[in-house]
Amino acid sequence: MNGGGLPGRVRVVPWVDPAPGSPTFPVSSAYLEACWLGVIGPTAAWTLRRLAAVVAERPEGVWVDLPDLAQSLGVGRSTSRSSVLSRTIDRLVSFRLASWDGDVLRIRQTVPPLTARQASRLTPPLTRLHERVVQAGRDGLEVV
């Protein structure tokens, strides 16, 4: 993307990048909420979930009005470089949960397990939960 912030509208498509032999978890899963949330933050988690849900319904891609998205997430309407939404999308890109392909935003439908470094920042109970869920390779956990 350009250095001046986000456009008013962007085409969003699913990002299919399977990691063979490694478990992945749907972005709507409790794993994202329990383990990824503390790493990427709540705004990034909600943005990922919202965009993934939109493209799940329209896998060919969909145009998203970014000021409307920002407002619906409660972060204002700005798409400037310093806006919450712009920083949030940059965060998703830096964690490889989203990717720019020219002017198209690719969004993951699933998330990988946390890396060892990311997991080392979890609380002890969440560390145990992360290890148990990843070892089982499924998302059968309850979040309270």
Side-chain angles (χ1 to χ4, degrees):
M1 258 344 287
N2 66 35
L6 298 169
R9 284 174 28 116
V10 68
R11 185 161 170 77
V12 181
V13 299
W15 181 7
V16 181
D17 185 25
S22 178
T24 59
F25 306 93
V27 297
S28 60
S29 71
Y31 182 79
L32 177 91
E33 189 172 325
C35 297
W36 272 100
L37 183 73
V39 174
I40 63 173
T43 303
W46 275 109
T47 302
L48 178 63
R49 282 183 167 179
R50 182 76 54 86
L51 291 175
V54 168
V55 297
E57 292 179 16
R58 308 246 335 252
E60 71 280 4
V62 63
W63 285 95
V64 174
D65 182 285
L66 294 180
D68 285 353
L69 173 65
Q71 185 175 6
S72 75
L73 293 166
V75 297
R77 291 186 59 83
S78 178
T79 60
S80 72
R81 180 171 172 74
S82 62
S83 70
V84 174
L85 185 64
S86 184
R87 292 190 325 261
T88 297
I89 291 176
D90 286 347
R91 189 161 182 79
L92 291 174
V93 170
S94 72
F95 282 97
R96 296 190 39 80
L97 300 174
S99 166
W100 287 106
D101 186 4
D103 290 339
V104 174
L105 182 63
R106 299 183 309 154
I107 293 291
R108 286 196 187 273
Q109 303 298 290
T110 61
V111 295
L114 296 178
T115 64
R117 181 175 180 218
Q118 292 163 339
S120 73
R121 298 179 178 182
L122 296 174
T123 63
L126 287 179
T127 298
R128 290 189 295 275
L129 180 132
H130 160 76
E131 291 168 352
R132 187 177 75 242
V133 170
V134 170
Q135 187 171 30
R138 59 181 168 72
D139 188 37
L141 63 120
E142 300 278 329
V143 177
V144 284

